[in-house]
Each structure stands twice: as structure tokens, then as C-alpha cells.
């Protein structure tokens, strides 16, 4: 049986409230998105949803070694095992608990499915004027014998003048397929600062659809870094909404894919207020038969005067069979704004390659150094040393070189 | 050190080098002069191993090794260095990281461990002093936004760090003001020992006032048509190339 049938059976056991059932029925009306929809034109879920996934399967244990292996070794850790919160740090001004209900505005099928059925995930509240120096690691482990579909639904509320950083990783520990529908909503109140790092380095049986909404109030500043190294299929929907003046929104993305990996970054930057800034930089490196998609939309509403928005998407195709579909979109309804975007698709520069080889750097290593140089503009924006180091290590590993890019 | 015999090379069907013979011994400085399009840079690129050029005939022996059988990086590992006429900008890699990687790649080829950081830094400081290079330079991206003079100085800095046996300086003087020219030339002279050799490719006598050659060769239409002592460079500066090239053209017509 396909995923939809299994989800239907699951929903019956769940005994949904009228409201949730309404949402679920609206999901069922059209089912999973298909390539006929503009937002999914290059991203097909057809083969994935044909799998006989069990829904919200149990039976997970996670060992200390697993945690150690997949953690960056940061001081604060939130650990989920099969969707259950198994450990959390105690930090002044920060309350961390398991899933609790919240509403979301998203109308797309995947988000609606999440809001109708998801019951696992975290709720984090940061009191106002709380500055958390050390970043918080959030680890989600899954490991079921059968192929499995799971949904997490997370909510973060960052109080006025507070500052916090997160590093998130979803890890499948089994050889079965795991399809995660991940939904995270973050409210960033006045003058708060948030950084969220997504380490998407799952195994080759992992499928991820990650939706993140960020609602910013005035004077707030947000950075979201998306690092895609692993996983079979990854789709990110990253939505920023500026609801006050003088907001900063930053997105840095680095993807390095090989074999048959697929990754799609969909971003939506909604400028609704004046005197705000947004800066978006996505770098993609494609090897083997990998495939990438980038769709970045910047919306500048009529009230969003004097904003400064920048978007870039640069791609390096390192094999004959790798492909990238890139689509920048600008929609501007205000007249006094600075808006620019750029998209490039290219290969390594032969002259630079010869230059390096003439200095004794072997061809494979020279290619790796040039590839890293290409990515470094985004990597250098990573503020957490452990995240930057991981990126450097994984890029070297994926290019099969033993080089330390850090000096 | 290097012995080039009857070297014929070009790009696709276009033969640029039409039989070069050149012998350079350790401790020597050779200048190769010649008009535009005579094949000077092609010769430099063929020695360094640029794959765009195909060698059709001839041999290059470097200390007993058949250079033409080696990749560009292997040539660098055994001590060949080319200072580029147009050094390439590599955004995203700092000068120090680039040089560290070059040195360690060569050490790896010789089965040596990576150079210890303090040793590398000490060496960098010494060589920077040699070329009047300021400290902040090491963290700048490789050649990115460098002036012409800075790029050439960076080439010689790499030469100083890599300590090659044979350095080929391809128009290192072009784009340099007289002060920078002097600094760069002095740097080269300090690197020069009785055990290494330099081939200087230039249009002008000017550089040869500072880096004094033991031999001067005139390259024209893919052949060395005249060789002599450093006085030949002075003669060329006065009379131009016409007087020799015309004679040669008659001979090869």
C-alpha cells in the first residue's frame, strides 16, 4: 500500500478532533503535491509516496555512542528518540518541553498534513532578556525496522532582547527508509537574535521535507544556515516574514551532493515592513548523478520601503550527469528599494587548476581546493566553529581528499 | 639541470615551437628575449606542463628525468617552478592556505609529514621580509584584487617558499613600476644560489640590469636564432630585433 493509504488508516486510530479532521480532509482532497504544481515542478514525490511506509512507527533505542557520533559535542543537547524527548539541558530563562499544539498559516499540502496529524517535536520558550551564550544542539534519532513516515512539529518563541543559537540534526540509525515531515515555527520578538543551523547529513535511506517559518518583529536579526551533505532526498521550505522595521534576515546554504542525491531549497523572503535587510547566499556543488533545485522568491510589499534585499545562488557542476534547476523570483511592489539577485552555474576554471598544479598541488586536491574556495564565502558565514569545521571536514570527505581547509 | 632538444610543440595544428635547443646548468641565469608571438610563453608553459600544448617532437630532460612524461604537479615536486605572466585569481583561498597546501602536497609526494606550523610561519616571515611584503597580505585571497605589482611579488614569494631548482620567470617585469621591479629582482637574486637555475623571459633589457644573465637567447618564430652573453641584451635594446630576425627569416624561408 502507498503512503496515503497508510496515513488514512493511521488517522482513523488517532480519533481526530473536528478541526484536525477538517485539515486532514483538505490534505486528502489533493494528496501529496505533484510536478504539475509550480512549486514542485522539478521535485517529484511520486516514487517516494508509492512506498509502503508505516506511520509513526516505534521501537527505537539510541546509545550514548550514537549520540556522541552524530553530535558536534556542544554543551547543551536536546535529544529525541523516535519522537520522544529523552534528554534536555537546563538553562536559565529557557523552557524546553515536548510537542504542544500551535496553529500555522501554511496552506500547502505537506504543512497541512503536518498540522493535522503531527504530535511529536519540541516547544521552546526563551524568556525576554535572556542571552544564551552556548548553542543548543537538537538531535532527532529514528530507527525502525520497517520503512517509516514520521512528522515532527516544533515551536520556538524567542523573547524580547534575547539571543540564542541552535544546531539541528535528524539522523536515521537504521537501514530502512525514513521519511520525515519536519515543521518548525519560530517567533522572534523585538530586538531578539536567533541563529539556526540545519545539519542535513543523514544516511542514504533518508527522505526529508523541512518546513521552517520565521516571524520577525522589529529590530530582530536571524540567521539560518542550511548544510546539505547527506540524505537521499531533501526539500527545504524556508519562509521569512518581517513584521517590524529594521529586521535582518540572513540565509546561508551549502550543498554538496553526490551519487543519486537530490536536494531542493525553496526560500521565501517576505519583506512587509520598511528599513529591513535580507541577505541570501546558496552555494551548490553537484557530483555524480546528483540533482539540485533552487527556488528563491523575494516579495517586497508596498509598505516595505527602503529595504535592501540580496540573493545569490551559485552552482558548480562537477560531473557530466549532475543537474541543477535554479529559479530566482523577485516581486516588488515598493518603489524605493534596493533589490538584487544573481545566479551562476559553472565548472572549475582550467587556468586556476593549472596554476595550482604548477605549484605542486595534485589534480584531485587542486580541484578540491578550488571547490572549497567556491563554497567558502558561505562557510565563512558560519559563526559556530564546530559547524564550520564540520562543513570543511565533510566537503573534503565528499571530494575524497585528505586536506585541512582551515588555517 | 635542464636539457631541451629539438622541441617542437603547439596547439592543435598550429606549430609554435619549431625545434628548440637549450641547455641550462645549475647556478646559471638564462634570459630568453624575443618579439611578441615568438613562442616565449609557450616554451614556459610546455616546460611547466600545461596540457593545452601538444609536444610533437623532441625531449626535455630534467636532472635525468623525462619531464614530458610527468604531470604539472610532478614537475613541481622535482623542482620546476613557473612564475606566471598572468597569475590567476583564486577567491576563497588565502595566500597562506594556498602556500601551506603547495608545500604540504610536495612533502606528501616525498613521503614527509606536513610542515609544522611554527616552522612554516617562521619561513613565511623571513621570505616576506625579503620581498618587502606586509603582514596582512597572508590572509588576503590568492591574487584577488591584487595590483599588477602585488601579483608578481606574490609569484616570487611562492618561489621563495617552494625553493625550486629551476625557476622560469615569464615576463615578471611586465606591469611593474621601477621600485617594485627592484624589490622583485633583489628578491630573486637573494633566492639564487649555485645549486639552482633561472630562466628569465622578458621583452626588455631593464630587468636584466638587476637579474644579470649568464646567457641571452633570442627566440623568433619558434626557434632560438641567436645566443650570446649579457651584452647581446644591450645590443637588442639599442638596435631592436630586426637585424637578427631578418637574417633568420631568410635562412628558414
Amino acid at each position: 500500500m502507498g503512503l496515503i493509504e497508510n496515513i488514512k488508516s493511521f488517522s482513523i486510530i488517532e480519533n481526530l478532533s473536528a478541526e484536525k479532521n477538517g485539515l486532514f480532509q483538505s490534505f486528502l482532497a489533493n494528496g501529496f503535491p505533484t510536478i504539475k504544481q509550480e512549486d514542485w515542478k522539478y521535485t517529484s514525490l511520486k516514487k517516494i509516496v508509492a512506498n509502503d511506509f508505516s506511520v509513526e512507527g516505534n521501537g527505537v533505542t539510541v546509545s550514548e555512542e550514537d549520540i556522541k557520533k552524530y553530535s558536534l559535542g556542544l554543551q547543551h543537547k536536546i535529544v529525541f528518540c523516535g519522537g520522544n524527548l529523552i534528554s534536555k539541558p537546563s538553562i536559565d530563562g529557557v523552557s524546553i518541553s515536548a510537542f504542544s499544539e500551535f496553529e500555522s498559516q501554511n496552506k500547502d499540502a505537506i504543512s497541512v498534513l503536518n498540522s493535522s496529524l503531527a504530535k511529536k517535536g519540541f516547544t521552546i520558550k526563551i524568556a525576554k532578556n535572556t542571552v544564551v551564550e552556548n548553542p543548543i544542539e537538537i538531535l532527532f534519532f529514528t530507527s525502525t525496522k520497517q520503512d517509516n513516515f514520521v512528522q515532527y512539529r516544533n515551536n520556538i518563541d524567542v523573547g524580547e532582547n534575547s539571543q540564542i543559537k541552535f544546531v539541528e540534526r535528524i539522523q536515521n540509525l537504521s537501514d530502512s527508509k525514513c521519511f520525515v515531515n519536519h515543521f518548525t515555527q519560530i517567533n522572534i520578538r523585538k530586538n531578539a537574535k536567533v541563529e539556526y543551523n540545519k545539519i542535513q547529513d543523514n544516511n542514504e535511506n533518508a527522505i526529508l521535507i523541512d518546513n521552517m517559518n520565521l516571524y520577525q518583529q522589529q529590530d530582530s536579526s536571524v540567521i539560518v544556515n542550511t548544510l546539505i551533505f547527506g540524505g537521499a532526498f531533501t526539500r527545504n521550505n524556508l519562509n521569512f516574514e518581517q513584521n517590524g522595521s529594521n529586521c535582518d534576515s540572513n540565509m546561508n546554504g551549502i550543498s554538496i551532493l553526490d551519487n543519486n542525491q537530490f536536494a531542493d531549497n525553496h526560500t521565501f523572503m517576505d519583506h512587509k515592513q520598511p528599513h529591513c535587510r535580507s541577505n541570501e547566499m546558496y552555494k551548490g556543488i553537484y557530483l555524480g548523478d546528483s540533482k539540485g533545485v533552487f527556488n528563491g522568491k523575494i516579495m517586497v510589499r508596498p509598505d516595505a520601503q527602503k529595504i535592501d534585499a540580496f540573493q545569490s545562488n551559485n552552482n558548480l557542476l562537477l560531473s557530466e550527469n549532475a543537474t541543477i534547476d535554479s529559479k530566482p523570483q523577485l516581486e516588488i511592489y515598493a518603489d524605493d528599494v534596493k533589490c538584487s539577485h544573481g545566479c551562476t552555474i559553472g565548472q572549475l576554471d582550467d587556468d586556476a587548476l593549472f596554476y595550482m598544479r604548477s605549484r605542486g598541488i595534485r589534480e584531485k586536491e587542486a580541484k578540491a581546493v578550488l571547490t572549497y574556495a567556491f563554497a567558502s564565502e558561505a562557510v565563512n558565514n558560519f559563526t559556530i566553529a564546530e559547524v564550520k569545521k564540520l562543513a570543511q571536514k565533510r566537503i573534503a570527505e565528499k571530494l575524497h581528499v585528505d586536506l585541512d581547509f582551515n588555517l | 639541470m635542464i636539457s631541451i632538444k629539438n622541441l617542437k610543440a603547439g596547439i592543435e595544428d598550429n606549430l609554435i615551437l619549431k625545434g628548440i635547443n637549450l641547455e641550462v646548468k645549475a647556478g646559471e641565469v638564462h634570459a630568453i628575449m624575443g618579439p611578441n608571438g615568438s613562442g616565449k610563453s609557450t616554451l614556459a608553459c610546455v616546460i611547466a606542463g600545461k596540457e593545452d600544448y601538444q609536444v610533437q617532437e623532441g625531449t626535455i630532460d630534467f636532472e635525468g628525468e623525462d619531464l614530458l612524461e610527468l604531470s604539472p604537479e610532478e614537475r613541481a615536486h622535482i623542482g620546476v617552478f613557473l612564475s606566471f605572466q598572468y597569475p590567476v585569481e583564486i577567491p576563497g583561498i588565502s595566500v597562506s592556505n594556498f602556500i601551506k597546501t603547495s608545500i604540504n602536497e610536495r612533502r606528501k609526494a616525498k613521503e614527509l609529514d606536513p610542515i609544522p606550523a611554527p616552522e612554516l610561519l617562521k619561513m613565511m616571515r623571513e621570505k616576506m621580509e625579503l620581498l618587502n611584503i606586509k603582514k596582512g597580505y597572508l590572509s588576503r585571497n590568492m591574487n584577488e584584487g591584487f595590483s599588477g605589482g602585488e601579483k608578481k611579488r606574490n609569484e616570487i614569494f611562492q618561489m621563495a617558499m617552494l625553493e625550486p631548482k629551476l625557476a622560469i620567470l615569464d615576463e615578471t617585469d611586465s606591469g611593474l613600476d621601477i621600485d617594485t621591479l627592484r624589490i622583485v629582482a633583489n628578491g630573486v637574486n637573494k633566492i639564487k644560489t649555485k645549486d639552482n637555475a633561472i630562466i628569465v623571459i622578458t621583452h626588455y633589457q631593464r630587468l636584466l640590469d638587476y637579474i644579470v644573465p649568464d646567457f641571452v637567447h633570442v627566440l623568433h618564430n619558434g626557434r632560438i636564432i641567436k645566443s650570446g652573453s649579457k651584452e647581446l641584451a644591450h645590443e637588442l635594446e639599442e638596435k631592436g630585433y630586426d637585424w637578427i630576425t631578418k637574417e633568420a627569416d631568410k635562412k628558414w624561408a
Side-chain angles (χ1 to χ4, degrees):
Chain A
M1 286 222 281
L3 179 55
I4 288 236
E5 293 307 313
N6 293 351
I7 291 173
K8 263 192 214 164
S9 313
F10 176 79
S11 73
I12 294 163
I13 312 164
E14 283 294 288
N15 215 351
L16 300 176
S17 67
E19 190 194 342
K20 293 256 167 175
N21 192 47
L23 283 168
F24 185 60
Q25 293 308 322
S26 76
F27 163 74
L28 283 183
N30 294 306
F32 283 101
T34 68
I35 54 168
K36 285 180 189 143
Q37 283 161 262
E38 189 59 32
D39 270 344
W40 291 84
K41 195 175 169 184
Y42 304 105
T43 307
S44 174
L45 291 173
K46 200 176 163 187
K47 276 190 191 156
I48 293 171
V49 300
N51 278 295
D52 186 21
F53 288 105
S54 65
V55 178
E56 303 288 350
N58 290 315
V60 180
T61 51
V62 60
S63 65
E64 278 301 318
E65 284 92 79
D66 288 329
I67 295 174
K68 210 173 161 192
K69 184 172 171 192
Y70 296 108
S71 140
L72 287 178
L74 304 176
Q75 188 193 342
H76 300 315
K77 271 192 227 32
I78 298 174
V79 182
F80 281 90
C81 188
N84 301 313
L85 178 60
I86 60 164
S87 80
K88 61 178 187 177
S90 151
I91 304 165
D92 284 347
V94 182
S95 102
I96 301 167
S97 55
F99 167 81
S100 59
E101 291 287 350
F102 65 92
E103 283 182 10
S104 53
Q105 295 163 8
N106 307 55
K107 298 279 189 290
D108 65 286
I110 303 281
S111 302
V112 169
L113 173 61
N114 186 288
S115 58
S116 66
L117 291 179
K119 280 188 173 174
K120 288 168 174 172
F122 58 77
T123 307
I124 301 177
K125 274 197 162 52
I126 297 112
K128 65 179 181 183
N129 305 321
T130 306
V131 175
V132 183
E133 295 278 348
N134 293 317
I136 299 177
E137 249 188 304
I138 305 171
L139 296 160
F140 286 92
F141 290 100
T142 59
S143 110
T144 47
K145 286 208 180 83
Q146 291 167 282
D147 293 348
N148 192 27
F149 173 72
V150 290
Q151 301 200 92
Y152 302 130
R153 190 166 175 83
N154 314 301
N155 196 6
I156 304 178
D157 188 301
V158 186
E160 266 181 54
N161 308 317
S162 292
Q163 296 180 21
I164 194 153
K165 292 182 181 186
F166 297 98
V167 183
E168 176 193 271
R169 178 173 187 141
I170 298 171
Q171 187 61 45
N172 182 20
L173 298 173
S174 82
D175 296 331
S176 329
K177 287 198 181 86
C178 187
F179 179 0
V180 178
N181 180 11
H182 199 57
F183 188 99
T184 307
Q185 188 154 299
I186 311 184
N187 284 302
I188 303 107
R189 296 181 192 272
K190 265 196 219 168
N191 197 37
K193 282 193 168 66
V194 176
E195 180 181 318
Y196 207 97
N197 295 274
K198 297 164 188 275
I199 312 287
Q200 299 178 335
D201 196 5
N202 214 334
N203 68 16
E204 70 274 20
N205 304 308
I207 297 143
L208 172 68
I209 299 180
D210 181 335
N211 191 101
M212 178 173 264
N213 296 343
L214 299 121
Y215 298 104
Q216 289 186 250
Q217 292 182 15
Q218 74 175 66
D219 306 319
S220 67
S221 166
V222 177
I223 303 171
V224 175
N225 298 324
T226 306
L227 295 81
I228 312 177
F229 304 126
F233 175 103
T234 306
R235 160 74 176 237
N236 288 306
N237 297 316
L238 182 56
N239 309 309
F240 275 82
E241 193 176 304
Q242 293 176 336
N243 293 309
S245 61
N246 193 34
C247 287
D248 268 305
S249 308
N250 299 287
M251 290 167 250
N252 298 296
I254 153 98
S255 311
I256 175 162
L257 307 182
D258 51 21
N259 300 327
N260 283 305
Q261 283 185 291
F262 174 90
D264 174 357
N265 281 305
H266 258 65
T267 66
F268 180 47
M269 181 66 237
D270 197 351
H271 279 280
K272 296 169 96 172
Q273 296 287 330
H275 302 285
C276 291
R277 292 156 300 278
S278 70
N279 197 339
E280 180 172 4
M281 178 164 35
Y282 277 82
K283 303 264 187 183
I285 300 159
Y286 303 94
L287 302 142
D289 298 321
S290 67
K291 184 167 164 20
V293 178
F294 174 81
N295 189 117
K297 184 167 180 176
I298 300 174
M299 168 75 85
V300 184
R301 311 255 178 204
D303 289 339
Q305 298 293 358
K306 307 264 181 204
I307 62 111
D308 195 338
F310 178 72
Q311 178 194 88
S312 71
N313 172 232
N314 305 312
N315 301 289
L316 204 50
L317 293 179
L318 296 181
S319 97
E320 294 268 322
N321 295 327
T323 59
I324 167 77
D325 291 294
S326 178
K327 186 175 160 196
Q329 284 174 280
L330 258 60
E331 224 175 293
I332 304 173
Y333 299 100
D335 51 15
D336 186 12
V337 300
K338 251 165 97 180
C339 242
S340 58
H341 69 91
C343 163
T344 62
I345 297 170
Q347 277 103 32
L348 295 175
D349 175 13
D350 282 339
D351 287 335
L353 211 52
F354 174 64
Y355 186 69
M356 299 185 76
R357 294 178 70 189
S358 82
R359 297 298 181 254
I361 304 173
R362 284 164 297 167
E363 189 174 6
K364 193 169 81 171
E365 279 71 12
K367 283 181 175 169
V369 170
L370 286 178
T371 304
Y372 178 72
F374 165 84
S376 66
E377 207 185 344
V379 175
N380 288 337
N381 283 343
F382 300 156
T383 64
I384 300 172
E386 287 85 350
V387 172
K388 193 172 167 181
K389 229 177 223 170
L390 176 80
Q392 290 170 333
K393 180 174 155 257
R394 293 295 284 130
I395 292 171
E397 280 171 3
K398 295 206 80 161
L399 296 168
H400 308 288
V401 292
D402 179 22
L403 286 175
D404 176 11
F405 293 123
N406 205 18
L407 189 83
Chain B
M1 178 174 287
I2 189 165
S3 170
I4 301 174
K5 291 207 173 102
N6 192 31
L7 182 68
K8 293 184 181 174
I11 294 182
E12 286 162 11
D13 290 339
N14 181 20
L15 196 65
I16 302 168
L17 302 179
K18 298 170 182 168
I20 300 279
N21 292 292
L22 182 67
E23 183 95 30
V24 178
K25 295 194 174 69
E28 291 178 350
V29 176
H30 287 242
I32 295 179
M33 304 182 75
N36 287 327
S38 56
K40 300 189 300 292
S41 288
T42 300
L43 178 61
C45 286
V46 170
I47 297 173
K50 191 161 190 181
E51 283 153 354
D52 301 2
Y53 297 94
Q54 287 100 40
V55 175
Q56 298 181 357
E57 250 187 86
T59 57
I60 305 180
D61 176 283
F62 184 82
E63 299 207 305
E65 295 230 37
D66 179 358
L67 210 59
L68 297 175
E69 286 295 310
L70 303 180
S71 67
E73 50 269 39
E74 287 168 329
R75 297 181 198 201
H77 296 157
I78 61 170
V80 176
F81 179 89
L82 171 62
S83 166
F84 281 58
Q85 185 180 356
Y86 303 108
V88 183
E89 297 193 10
I90 309 178
I93 290 294
S94 66
V95 172
S96 56
N97 208 348
F98 184 92
I99 290 176
K100 183 187 80 163
T101 309
S102 304
I103 289 178
N104 284 338
E105 279 285 293
R106 197 177 52 166
R107 289 174 70 103
K108 202 185 278 173
K110 292 177 180 160
E111 290 174 1
L112 296 170
D113 286 335
I115 187 167
E119 195 181 313
L120 178 70
L121 289 172
K122 182 170 168 265
M123 192 173 171
M124 281 186 176
R125 267 200 304 272
E126 283 170 13
K127 308 296 182 186
M128 280 164 77
E129 211 168 297
L130 205 70
L131 289 158
N132 253 347
I133 293 171
K134 291 188 187 73
K135 211 182 162 206
Y137 155 91
L138 284 179
S139 56
R140 288 176 66 185
N141 282 337
M142 198 65 190
N143 292 324
E144 191 187 26
F146 281 27
S147 68
E150 285 174 323
K151 281 183 182 170
K152 294 301 171 70
R153 229 188 279 198
N154 189 14
E155 293 295 285
I156 304 305
F157 179 55
Q158 292 172 62
M159 172 182 162
M161 291 297 295
L162 293 169
E163 299 176 329
K165 286 180 187 159
L166 173 70
I168 304 157
L169 312 184
D170 189 5
E171 297 201 18
T172 296
D173 51 340
S174 69
L176 293 190
D177 61 55
I178 194 75
D179 292 328
T180 315
L181 180 75
R182 206 173 287 146
I183 292 166
V184 166
N186 283 341
V188 172
N189 287 332
K190 281 177 193 158
I191 301 165
K192 181 82 204 57
T193 69
K194 62 177 179 20
D195 299 319
N196 57 25
I198 298 173
I199 297 174
V200 183
I201 292 173
T202 182
H203 276 291
Y204 306 106
Q205 147 68 21
R206 197 175 67 158
L207 178 65
L208 304 180
D209 285 339
Y210 299 100
I211 304 173
V212 182
D214 301 298
F215 300 94
V216 174
H217 310 278
V218 179
L219 190 64
H220 170 62
N221 200 13
R223 293 184 185 93
I224 289 176
I225 55 168
K226 196 170 178 65
S227 297
S229 65
K230 64 179 177 189
E231 278 69 36
L232 178 57
H234 287 286
E235 214 176 332
L236 291 168
E237 184 82 1
E238 261 171 52
K239 299 198 220 164
Y241 291 110
D242 277 2
W243 60 285
I244 2 179
T245 55
K246 272 186 190 146
E247 206 176 304
D249 287 344
K250 247 183 258 166
K251 185 178 163 192
W252 296 100

